[in-house]
Amino acid sequence: MRNTRALAVAGAAVAALGLSAPAAVAWETPSNITALPGVIARGGQLTITVDGCRSGGTATSNAFSPTRLSPVGGGGKGNEGDRGGAGSGTARGTAVINSDARPGPYDITVDCNGRRMTKPQAFTVIGGVRGGLGGSTTTGATPTDVAIGGGLVAAAVVGGGVFWMRRRAERRI
């Protein structure tokens, strides 16, 4: 009976140590790169958040210029305990998507704490939007638009006249 209890206590201690070790390592290794929004137009601002990057770093991609990541949180030890450092172990930065970026998925590479991590297809660039113009690319009506509109108006006038003349003829009978 004593052997069973000792074995159970030893197993619980090993499990607790095993579960806490990855958490301790995560503070030193960049992980979980998040890019919001996931789909963005050219010229838009992309917020990049990296866990495990307590001293800040740099994010790079083919879609934007290298962007500085700054530690997030207060100047105290936060939830890092006695490990030191600033903030909560998370770094964040804002990147502006290049106006000439091609539509499609892009990777983000983060250099943080002397380590490098890449998240493939972290975000997707879509074609730019011409806001305020209703999507139009020309000003005014083209000659084709005028011809089509004029033809529709003429057809409506002729159709209305025929209808009116038929109704008038029915009343005489």
Side-chain angles (χ1 to χ4, degrees):
M1 180 102 158
R2 285 186 179 190
N3 289 340
T4 306
R5 284 185 186 164
L7 187 59
V9 169
V14 168
L17 181 62
L19 292 175
S20 66
V25 172
W27 290 103
E28 299 297 328
T29 304
S31 63
N32 194 29
I33 299 173
T34 306
L36 293 175
V39 177
I40 189 166
R42 293 177 279 203
Q45 291 187 344
L46 183 72
T47 301
I48 304 163
T49 306
V50 182
D51 293 336
C53 189
R54 63 182 174 173
S55 60
T58 304
T60 57
S61 175
N62 292 334
F64 57 81
S65 300
T67 301
R68 175 85 178 124
L69 301 174
S70 301
V72 176
K77 292 183 180 179
N79 57 3
E80 294 180 20
D82 59 352
R83 289 184 292 275
S88 62
T90 301
R92 182 174 296 142
T94 302
V96 177
I97 304 300
N98 297 334
S99 60
D100 61 348
R102 292 187 177 196
Y106 285 89
D107 302 345
I108 294 179
T109 300
V110 173
D111 290 316
C112 183
N113 301 330
R115 297 189 181 208
R116 177 174 271 204
M117 179 181 176
T118 299
K119 180 172 184 180
Q121 299 182 358
F123 65 97
T124 302
V125 174
I126 58 173
V129 177
R130 295 184 59 133
L133 298 176
S136 65
T137 57
T138 61
T139 58
T142 64
T144 305
D145 295 335
V146 173
I148 292 171
L152 290 173
V153 169
V157 168
V158 169
V162 169
F163 178 75
W164 183 65
M165 293 298 283
R166 289 193 66 198
R167 296 285 293 170
R168 194 170 169 212
E170 288 176 4
R171 287 187 191 163
R172 289 186 181 169
I173 299 177

